[in-house]
Amino acid sequence: NNAAALDDVRSEKFRQLYNFTFGFIREPESRNVTADNAIMYWQLLLSSRWALCDEWITFIQNGKRLQVTRDEWSVLLDLVTLKDISEYDATTSWPVLLDEFVDHHRSML
């Protein structure tokens, strides 16, 4: 059920778990996480909750990204919580990576 999944990712407990995960999977001396680790945990945390998760992961893999910043990680959840990607407003402050993903997604429609 998409509505239940959306309510789940919008919950404060899920946001706390999601944001904690970044620090948990980050190497001690690194500011970022590897794309491989990010992908593994996105699959775990988001695949059943976000219809575009597989497309996002493919986008990251095809872009040959090696690292994901904390900002990209945390703001992705804001994108996930939109009812529809058409609600995405590129004029607000989003990481460039998310702008590029939304542009890519819209070009595929």
Side-chain angles (χ1 to χ4, degrees):
N1 181 333
N2 284 353
L6 193 54
D7 287 344
D8 184 34
V9 294
R10 286 180 172 165
S11 76
E12 186 58 31
K13 283 187 178 192
F14 184 83
R15 184 170 291 278
Q16 289 172 354
L17 170 67
Y18 181 82
N19 287 326
F20 169 82
T21 302
F22 183 90
F24 179 75
I25 64 175
R26 183 179 51 84
E27 295 295 324
E29 300 301 317
S30 179
R31 296 186 64 177
N32 302 321
V33 297
T34 66
D36 288 341
N37 278 347
I39 287 168
M40 184 170 33
Y41 281 88
W42 282 326
Q43 288 171 327
L44 178 70
L45 295 168
L46 300 177
S47 65
S48 65
R49 296 174 172 93
W50 186 36
L52 299 179
C53 186
D54 289 340
E55 184 179 341
W56 167 255
I57 288 170
T58 300
F59 174 79
I60 296 297
Q61 291 169 329
N62 289 345
K64 305 200 180 351
R65 299 243 344 158
L66 300 177
Q67 306 257 325
V68 174
T69 68
R70 180 179 295 276
D71 188 46
E72 291 165 343
W73 175 273
S74 61
V75 177
L76 176 64
L77 195 57
D78 295 331
L79 178 65
V80 171
T81 60
L82 297 177
K83 284 184 182 176
D84 186 88
I85 203 161
S86 65
E87 294 180 358
Y88 185 85
D89 180 2
T91 63
T92 59
S93 180
W94 295 91
V96 172
L97 180 63
L98 274 68
D99 287 334
E100 291 172 348
F101 172 70
V102 170
D103 289 344
H104 165 77
H105 175 76
R106 288 177 175 164
S107 75
M108 303 293 287
L109 297 178

